[in-house]
């Protein structure tokens, strides 16, 4: 093999190794795939859906997040951020006394034939001081009737949040940007 061919082989080998390292780094650190386990996020996400965890950026109200608690990963929606007072009355969400739209639940609520998706509750009755504490978020599953969330677990420490879930990629019929 002449010197020119060796240089070409070396440059291709280096490019492939670097590409593989970047792929592994991105795949296992930055954008981690996770499978949804259970029905607590229906109709937004279904049991067996596969989503991507985005570990970058801030967690905002109404983001769908993944957090780890008791050795298990949970997928839930952030409803309250530090300082928020949350209440549900007659299936309507109020944050700091202001009525909030939840368009991601509209179709689901229509299927219920005038029954409530979310029972009445207030953080004033659940959390000392009545507001979401600093360093935590208040989460709910979109399937409010069958979700272990902050109504049971309490506010979730931000340190337990693995990231947001902006994309569902599998199965293909459920593939979407998560709203």
């Amino acid at each position: 093999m002449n010197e020119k061919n060796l240089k070409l082989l070396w440059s291709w080998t280096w490019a492939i190794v670097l590409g593989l390292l970047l792929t592994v780094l991105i795949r296992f650190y930055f954008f981690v795939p996770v499978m949804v386990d259970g029905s607590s996020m229906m109709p937004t996400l279904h049991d067996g859906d596969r989503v991507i965890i985005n570990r970058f950026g801030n967690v905002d109200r109404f983001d769908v997040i993944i957090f780890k608690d008791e050795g298990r990963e949970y997928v839930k929606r952030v409803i309250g951020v530090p300082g928020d007072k949350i209440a549900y009355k007659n299936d309507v969400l109020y944050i700091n006394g202001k009525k909030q739209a939840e368009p991601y639940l509209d179709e689901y609520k229509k299927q219920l034939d005038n029954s409530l998706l979310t029972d009445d509750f207030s953080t004033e009755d659940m959390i000392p001081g009545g507001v979401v504490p600093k360093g935590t978020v208040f989460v709910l599953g979109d399937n409010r009737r069958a979700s272990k969330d902050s109504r049971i677990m309490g506010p979730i420490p931000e340190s337990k949040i693995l990231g947001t879930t902006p994309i569902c990629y599998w199965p293909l019929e459920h593939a979407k940007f998560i709203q």
Side-chain angles (χ1 to χ4, degrees):
M1 217 183 230
N2 64 29
E3 189 176 327
K4 183 177 178 182
N5 286 340
L6 272 173
K7 282 185 177 182
L8 184 62
L9 178 63
W10 175 248
S11 66
W12 274 103
T13 303
W14 179 244
I16 290 170
V17 168
L18 185 61
L20 287 173
L21 285 172
L22 285 173
T23 301
V24 168
L25 181 69
I26 290 169
R27 158 66 167 78
F28 288 103
Y29 184 73
F30 297 123
F31 300 104
V32 181
V34 171
M35 185 167 69
V36 175
D37 181 21
S39 62
S40 72
M41 281 301 293
M42 286 179 53
T44 305
L45 296 169
H46 301 269
D47 186 37
D49 282 357
R50 287 178 175 78
V51 297
I52 299 284
I53 298 176
N54 177 4
R55 294 182 186 259
F56 293 104
N58 296 326
V59 173
D60 296 319
R61 186 180 294 118
F62 302 121
D63 283 350
V64 175
I65 64 166
I66 296 184
F67 65 93
K68 197 165 194 156
D69 191 45
E70 301 168 355
R72 185 168 178 227
E73 292 173 347
Y74 292 88
V75 181
K76 304 293 177 196
R77 187 177 300 274
V78 174
I79 299 298
V81 296
D84 281 350
K85 192 179 292 188
I86 310 295
Y88 252 95
K89 295 177 188 164
N90 296 320
D91 223 10
V92 176
L93 170 63
Y94 294 89
I95 299 176
N96 301 321
K98 295 178 183 169
K99 184 177 177 178
Q100 300 290 316
E102 293 184 283
Y104 46 87
L105 296 179
D106 290 345
E107 286 299 315
Y108 193 23
K109 285 183 177 183
K110 286 179 188 175
Q111 298 170 14
L112 296 177
D113 295 327
N114 295 327
S115 56
L116 298 178
L117 175 61
T118 310
D119 292 330
D120 291 355
F121 75 87
S122 170
T123 53
E124 290 181 333
D125 300 329
M126 303 168 76
I127 301 171
V131 298
V132 178
K134 185 178 182 180
T136 69
V137 294
F138 193 91
V139 299
L140 295 175
D142 287 355
N143 184 3
R144 307 288 164 78
R145 293 177 164 187
S147 178
K148 182 178 178 184
D149 50 38
S150 288
R151 294 172 293 177
I152 296 166
M153 303 167 83
I156 305 303
E158 291 172 348
S159 62
K160 292 185 177 186
I161 297 173
L162 302 176
T164 61
T165 56
I167 298 170
C168 176
Y169 68 92
W170 192 262
L172 288 179
E173 62 266 15
H174 294 171
K176 63 185 170 192
F177 289 102
I178 300 170
Q179 301 295 323

